[in-house]
């Protein structure tokens, strides 16, 4: 693993070279990011016991960033958190929480808490990760310290709480829970399981996290549901090996779970909006987005840009083949999209008018007054 200083230097370099999207005033006060590797911008670099498969701090990750170096993003370039942040008027995602010291972890700049491999359940993850329970807990602790610390004046704490209430809270979580559950179900077919009970556990955890963030001052939530998690190259390999191939050529068990989870998330958010005064949300339907892209877009879908084997399902590093035109590939590595594919999702979240995003898009969400 790169040293904390080395990793931070790369992040700083990329920030200096990043397009200055924030030259104009951002559309929202700040952005706080929670979830998994779709949004992680380097938190896992700071976890000493994180497995190699849950890190992105080695070549060829980051090859299409301005600095052409890995920063902890699970992508060839900017990831979904960066791209949505840029549409909001920021240069890129806010910094990873684990790169900040307690003295400079400020809510005024926004923070990215996302961690590759993490899930809604604390038990989900590949070795050491930064689970959602800790991501949310660290945010609420940071807010709690503002009112009880001598470092914060009453006026500064009040200003911070006002900023939080006007900020965007972006969440993409649950995919890794589905990955692990589906892989075990397919590879251990004789083990009894209760899919409904499992999905209800995910929703109970998700509900608790949003309530905790709301109690800490959050009111505006952009939520992206897990997509067709059975369609990544790794899952396509599992599907072929175990004979569980759906009409998309993907792992049927995993995609079935994704399709069941989306309406549960939708219902959860509708209920929370009724229960929590002033709570607003925008929900991205990644199932429909994925189906649309898979049927309409000119992407190579069944092989990762960086990887070896029939589906490119090996680890992405400097020893394996690399595609030359990344914009032609949906998957960068065996689990994650290219920056070109992520850009489609970011655009949908920001400006879709009802096909993929409900009840409003992110641009409308941040324009609403508290």
């Amino acid at each position: 693993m790169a040293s904390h200083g080395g990793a931070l230097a790369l992040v700083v370099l990329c920030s200096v070279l990043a397009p200055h999207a924030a030259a104009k005033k951002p559309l929202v006060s700040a952005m706080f990011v929670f979830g998994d590797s779709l949004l992680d911008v380097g938190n896992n670099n700071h976890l000493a016991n994180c497995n190699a498969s849950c890190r992105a701090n080695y070549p060829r990750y980051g090859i299409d960033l301005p600095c052409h170096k890995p920063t902890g993003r699970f992508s060839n370039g900017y990831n979904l958190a960066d791209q949505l942040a840029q549409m909001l008027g920021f240069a890129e995602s806010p910094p990873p929480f684990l790169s900040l010291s307690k003295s400079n972890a400020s809510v005024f700049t926004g923070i990215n808490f996302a961690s590759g491999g993490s899930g809604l359940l604390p038990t989900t993850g590949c070795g050491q990760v930064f689970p959602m329970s800790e991501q949310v807990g660290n945010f609420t602790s940071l807010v709690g310290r503002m009112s009880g610390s001598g470092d914060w004046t009453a006026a500064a704490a009040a200003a911070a709480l006002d900023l939080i209430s006007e900020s965007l809270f972006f969440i993409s979580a649950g995919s890794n829970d589905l990955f692990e559950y589906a892989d075990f179900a397919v590879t251990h077919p004789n083990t009894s399981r209760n899919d409904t009970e499992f999905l209800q556990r995910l929703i109970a955890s998700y509900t608790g996290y949003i309530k905790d963030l709301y109690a800490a001052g959050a009111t505006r939530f952009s939520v992206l549901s897990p997509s067709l998690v059975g369609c990544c190259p790794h899952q396509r390999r599992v599907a072929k090996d175990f004979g569980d191939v759906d009409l998309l050529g993907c792992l049927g068990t995993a995609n079935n779970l994704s399709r069941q989870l989306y309406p549960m998330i939708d219902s959860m958010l509708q209920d929370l909006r009724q229960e929590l005064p002033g709570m607003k949300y925008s929900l991205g339907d990644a199932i429909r987005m994925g189906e649309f892209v898979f049927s309409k877009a000119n992407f190579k879908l069944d092989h990762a840009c960086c990887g070896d084997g029939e589906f490119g399902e090996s680890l992405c590093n400097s020893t394996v083949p690399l595609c030359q035109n990344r914009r032609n590939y949906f998957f960068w590595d065996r689990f994650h999209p290219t920056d070109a594919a992520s850009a489609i999702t970011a655009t949908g979240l920001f400006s879709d008018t009802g096909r993929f995003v409900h009840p409003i898009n992110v641009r409308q969400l941040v324009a609403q007054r508290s």
Side-chain angles (χ1 to χ4, degrees):
M1 182 177 77
S3 69
H4 291 193
L8 184 57
L10 288 175
V11 172
V12 171
L13 175 61
C14 281
S15 297
V16 170
L17 295 175
H20 292 287
K24 59 182 180 181
K25 183 179 179 181
L27 301 179
V28 67
S29 301
M31 180 177 177
F32 297 92
V33 180
F34 301 83
D36 53 33
S37 53
L38 289 180
L39 310 180
D40 187 354
V41 293
N43 277 307
N44 281 14
N45 287 354
H46 301 274
L47 299 173
N49 297 316
C50 184
N51 292 344
S53 60
C54 279
R55 290 183 187 164
N57 61 339
Y58 45 84
R60 301 176 171 103
Y61 289 96
I63 192 171
D64 294 315
L65 285 171
C67 60
H68 310 295
K69 299 289 186 180
T71 61
R73 291 164 169 83
F74 292 79
S75 175
N76 58 303
Y78 285 116
N79 69 14
L80 181 57
D82 295 306
Q83 292 165 335
L84 186 59
Q86 288 164 351
M87 290 179 180
L88 290 166
F90 300 103
E92 59 185 6
S93 165
F97 174 75
L98 295 181
S99 72
L100 306 173
S101 67
K102 288 185 177 180
S103 61
N104 68 3
S106 172
V107 298
F108 288 103
T109 58
I111 302 172
N112 187 318
F113 294 85
S115 170
S118 67
L120 291 167
L121 302 179
T123 53
T124 297
C126 45
Q128 183 189 21
V129 296
F130 188 32
M132 275 290 290
S133 55
E134 290 187 24
Q135 293 178 36
V136 174
N138 275 287
F139 175 78
T140 58
S141 295
L142 179 62
V143 173
R145 287 198 301 270
M146 293 188 315
S147 57
S149 170
D151 295 334
W152 288 80
T153 65
L161 291 173
D162 284 344
L163 177 140
I164 289 169
S165 70
E166 297 294 332
S167 297
L168 180 70
F169 284 72
F170 183 32
I171 307 173
S172 174
S175 294
N176 290 311
D177 304 280
L178 301 183
F179 278 134
E180 292 188 8
Y181 184 87
D183 276 0
F184 186 84
V186 172
T187 57
H188 298 77
N190 296 322
T191 302
S192 63
R193 71 181 208 258
N194 187 324
D195 294 354
T196 300
E197 180 181 294
F198 166 69
L199 295 173
Q200 288 173 341
R201 286 175 58 209
L202 298 186
I203 292 298
S205 295
Y206 219 147
T207 302
Y209 299 141
I210 291 180
K211 284 186 173 182
D212 287 346
L213 292 171
Y214 175 84
T219 61
R220 303 181 190 199
F221 297 88
S222 170
V223 175
L224 179 65
S225 74
S227 187
L228 295 167
V229 297
C231 287
C232 65
H234 177 274
Q235 299 297 78
R236 288 176 185 265
R237 162 58 67 189
V238 174
K240 181 178 179 181
D241 289 348
F242 290 89
D244 184 13
V245 182
D246 66 11
L247 295 177
L248 295 171
C250 309
L251 185 62
T253 295
N255 282 352
N256 184 47
L257 289 166
S258 292
R259 289 190 170 96
Q260 291 180 72
L261 185 59
Y262 173 77
M264 298 172 72
I265 295 175
D266 189 13
S267 178
M268 170 194 73
L269 290 170
Q270 291 183 48
D271 291 345
L272 286 172
R273 184 173 58 178
Q274 297 300 315
E275 179 183 347
L276 306 176
M279 183 258 194
K280 309 173 187 68
Y281 74 90
S282 173
L283 172 61
D285 183 352
I287 303 294
R288 295 192 67 187
M289 288 184 189
E291 290 172 339
F292 174 80
V293 170
F294 291 171
S295 64
K296 302 293 184 183
N298 258 339
F299 282 121
K300 184 174 179 59
L301 300 171
D302 59 351
H303 197 282
C305 173
C306 181
D308 203 1
E310 181 179 0
F311 298 98
E313 70 272 20
S314 65
L315 282 175
C316 171
N317 55 43
S318 58
T319 70
V320 300
L322 175 69
C323 72
Q324 293 306 304
N325 191 345
R326 265 82 74 181
R327 301 197 69 79
N328 288 348
Y329 282 71
F330 187 91
F331 291 103
W332 161 245
D333 63 13
R334 59 183 180 165
F335 289 112
H336 306 101
T338 58
D339 60 357
S342 293
I344 295 176
T345 302
T347 300
L349 291 173
F350 186 72
S351 59
D352 178 71
T353 55
R355 184 172 187 178
F356 306 119
V357 181
H358 307 278
I360 56 176
N361 60 42
V362 170
R363 178 163 50 191
Q364 292 166 331
L365 176 66
V366 300
Q368 290 187 349
R369 292 185 175 274
S370 297

